[in-house]
Amino acid sequence: MSVDVGAAAPAFQLLDQDGETFDLAAQKGRWVVVYFYPKDSTPGCTVEACDFRDNFRRLEAKVAVVVGISRDSAKSHRNFAEKQSLPFRLLVDDRTEVCQLFGIWKLKKFMGRESLGIVRSTFLVDPKGKIARVWSPVSVKGHVAEVLAAIP
């Protein structure tokens, strides 16, 4: 399954690093940046998270909510968020249900080996709950600037 621009964003609820529920449907009226990343505290994921952190006020000014999603545990997310001073929520998708809803749980090749994993991807959900933009796979450098430019 894949999620296309113009389609309704898949509904989901996930727990964040503090055990609080994030419900995408409850965000209507706001832009939502849903970004999927492979693993807490790894080099590319840290650069991406810190870029969202460094631009967080600019995103908030555009009435945008940012959430990061990976398979990591709440404890791992909490440690990552604290270490990097992340002001946004990191959501736990340990069973890959939301990754599969968004079509980013795929067979990947790395150093000659194949395995299922998260394809780094970002979905911009408009205030009506529709997919406005999709970046998949994401190239980390300059990505957050692209996301900011896509939000009116």
Side-chain angles (χ1 to χ4, degrees):
M1 175 178 186
S2 67
V3 177
D4 298 320
V5 171
F12 71 86
Q13 294 180 341
L14 288 174
L15 296 178
D16 69 10
Q17 69 265 34
D18 298 318
E20 302 288 323
T21 300
F22 175 86
D23 183 354
L24 183 61
Q27 306 305 313
K28 291 255 170 94
R30 305 167 83 179
W31 289 90
V32 183
V33 177
V34 180
Y35 85 94
F36 293 87
Y37 64 99
K39 187 139 185 65
D40 290 340
S41 301
T42 55
C45 297
T46 300
V47 168
E48 184 177 27
C50 290
D51 203 6
F52 276 115
R53 176 199 66 205
D54 295 347
N55 286 283
F56 187 71
R57 291 205 190 287
R58 293 175 65 200
L59 288 155
E60 271 190 323
K62 292 183 176 226
V63 193
V65 175
V66 176
V67 292
I69 301 176
S70 80
R71 295 183 64 216
D72 295 300
S73 68
K75 181 180 180 186
S76 176
H77 281 341
R78 195 167 37 260
N79 291 340
F80 184 43
E82 287 173 4
K83 184 175 182 182
Q84 302 302 331
S85 301
L86 303 180
F88 50 86
R89 296 165 82 175
L90 299 177
L91 308 180
V92 178
D93 189 19
D94 54 351
R95 293 183 289 183
T96 70
E97 292 169 353
V98 176
C99 291
Q100 291 180 51
L101 278 176
F102 278 81
I104 57 87
W105 184 250
K106 296 183 177 180
L107 191 62
K108 296 168 50 172
K109 293 181 181 179
F110 182 70
M111 297 185 72
R113 293 187 176 181
E114 290 185 344
S115 63
L116 286 171
I118 291 175
V119 173
R120 188 184 309 275
S121 304
T122 299
F123 296 82
L124 179 61
V125 181
D126 74 16
K128 294 179 181 175
K130 304 264 188 206
I131 301 293
R133 288 284 303 270
V134 176
W135 293 268
S136 185
V138 163
S139 177
V140 172
K141 188 171 174 62
H143 175 60
V144 174
E146 292 175 341
V147 173
L148 273 163
I151 303 171

